Amino acid sequence: KKGDFDHFMKKEIHEQPGSLTTSMRGRLKNGIVGLGGLKDHMRTIRRSRRIIFIGCGTSYHAALAARPIMEELTDVPVTMEIASDMLDRKALIFKEDTAVFVSQSGETADTLHALEYALENGALCLGVTNTVGSTLARKTHCGVHINAGCEIGVASTKAYTCQIVVMVMIALAIGSDKLSTLAKREAIIAGLTKLPEQVRDVLKLDGEMKVLAQSLIDEQSLLMFGRGNNYATALEGALKVKEVALMHSEGMLAGEMKHGPLALVDEHLPIIVIATQDDSFSKQQSVIQQLHARKGRLIVMCSKGDASLVCPDGRSRVIEVPQVADCLQPIINIIPLQLLAYHLTVLRGYDVDQPRNLAKSVTTQ
Ligand code: M6R
């Protein structure tokens, strides 16, 4: 049921404070993360030579968003695989690896084939899925359900943010034996408990995102630049726009800007730059300056109160969002982009919940 909402996508975007709360329920007690589905395998995971994240589409992006904190808290190298590419390359995978399969449906064919492949090669296989009883849940050695609730819209929204939260909790659990990161872990756990309220806050940008969408309806293309924790945000924001609004959109690593994309910049092409506060902030400030120097048409996402820092001359549009722990910032930052994609779709007159040519669950290769 869509209730008060016109579309499932809108309903699911607005459900995120609740779905995130459900994802965390019973798992954060007295500053300790408890994930029942992993506890028997924790020793093996901690000793693994490498953690490999495997998924498709939005699920891959969620894993990419969680990668920095997974590396930082576990001290285990984390590599990324798009499931189909892993199979195409017959990528090397070893019994000393922990392979983390991420899938909302738990039924994506490429992800399941990659799972078979990893099982044959003896890796420990961990599942992160929204679907209890799915093939992914049944065939992995261990795992965590994201408990986002049923997601109907083809565009994944609440599953994405719940997947990130669950993978952050997995990183916290794996890294919980390290004294050196105790303060960091405590700060993240405190941040997790406040997160649903901050998501509620950022959802108030709905009207502002509709106005922004109105200014973009006739565009051919929309670029998004992110880096670090928010490289995934750029990729996922662009996927949402192309998937539902049927507008060409590309998410790019800002560090790659000078290696080609800069040639596209002129006063017409809209570019969203994600420049919220974290270790990458000063680098993003210089990206903004360089884009300004080429008369780029910028829309800058920044932390609340930073508008004058990211846009001293007031020439760009600014989207201000609450600042949270670095590893949780992608959860906040994707929400305005989900809203933007939603409004662009409605204004352009396309089907929000069932975009042409797409299926919710891709069960064929
Ligand atoms: O069910 P899964 O998470 O395995 O699905 C993977 C992708 O097909 C999916 O995330 C797709 O990219 C979404 N429709 C994007 O919104």
Side-chain angles (χ1 to χ4, degrees), residues 56-59 102-108 111 154-156 163 236 239-240 243 359-362:
C56 305
T58 291
S59 294
V102 188
S103 171
Q104 188 283 130
S105 62
E107 300 297 347
T108 298
T111 308
V154 165
S156 184
Q163 284 168 333
E236 175 60 9
L239 177 59
K240 288 290 91 93
E243 176 181 29
K360 179 69 181 158
S361 178
V362 185

Side-chain angles (χ1 to χ4, degrees), residues 82-236:
I82 293 175
S84 62
D85 187 50
M86 179 178 196
L87 293 163
D88 291 344
R89 285 172 21 246
K90 298 191 178 54
L92 291 174
I93 177 161
F94 304 101
K95 62 179 186 330
E96 297 82 6
D97 290 329
T98 295
V100 180
F101 292 87
V102 188
S103 171
Q104 188 283 130
S105 62
E107 300 297 347
T108 298
D110 286 330
T111 308
L112 294 178
H113 281 98
L115 170 60
E116 290 297 337
Y117 176 73
L119 288 168
E120 280 161 22
N121 284 277
L124 176 72
C125 294
L126 190 161
V128 174
T129 183
N130 197 25
T131 316
V132 178
S134 60
T135 311
L136 188 90
R138 285 185 284 109
K139 293 199 170 170
T140 40
H141 297 114
C142 57
V144 187
H145 286 112
I146 66 165
N147 300 336
C150 187
E151 191 179 65
I152 309 271
V154 165
S156 184
T157 52
K158 63 177 182 171
Y160 177 71
T161 48
C162 289
Q163 284 168 333
I164 300 175
V165 150
V166 162
M167 285 184 275
V168 169
M169 290 194 291
I170 294 174
L172 288 164
I174 301 173
S176 64
D177 60 338
K178 291 192 177 55
L179 207 57
S180 57
T181 56
L182 182 64
K184 172 110 194 182
R185 284 184 280 116
E186 285 175 348
I188 297 170
I189 292 174
L192 282 169
T193 54
K194 285 189 283 178
L195 191 64
E197 231 13 79
Q198 285 159 318
V199 168
R200 214 180 291 286
D201 192 19
V202 82
L203 283 166
K204 293 182 190 144
L205 291 172
D206 198 341
E208 206 180 300
M209 290 305 105
K210 186 172 179 184
V211 174
L212 178 60
Q214 264 150 355
S215 72
L216 297 172
I217 35 177
D218 295 324
E219 297 303 331
Q220 299 286 320
S221 187
L222 175 59
L223 299 191
M224 303 202 193
F225 280 128
R227 72 194 314 143
N229 290 294
N230 285 290
Y231 173 37
T233 309
L235 296 182
E236 175 60 9

Side-chain angles (χ1 to χ4, degrees), residues 238-279:
L239 177 59
K240 288 290 91 93
V241 169
K242 73 183 102 170
E243 176 181 29
V244 288
L246 315 190
M247 180 188 286
H248 170 253
S249 185
E250 253 186 275
M252 293 179 184
L253 193 60
E256 281 288 284
M257 184 182 73
K258 289 185 197 158
H259 303 286
L262 197 54
L264 290 170
V265 177
D266 62 15
E267 62 270 50
H268 305 295
L269 176 67
I271 305 175
I272 298 183
V273 183
I274 300 154
T276 41
Q277 284 291 346
D278 66 10
D279 287 352

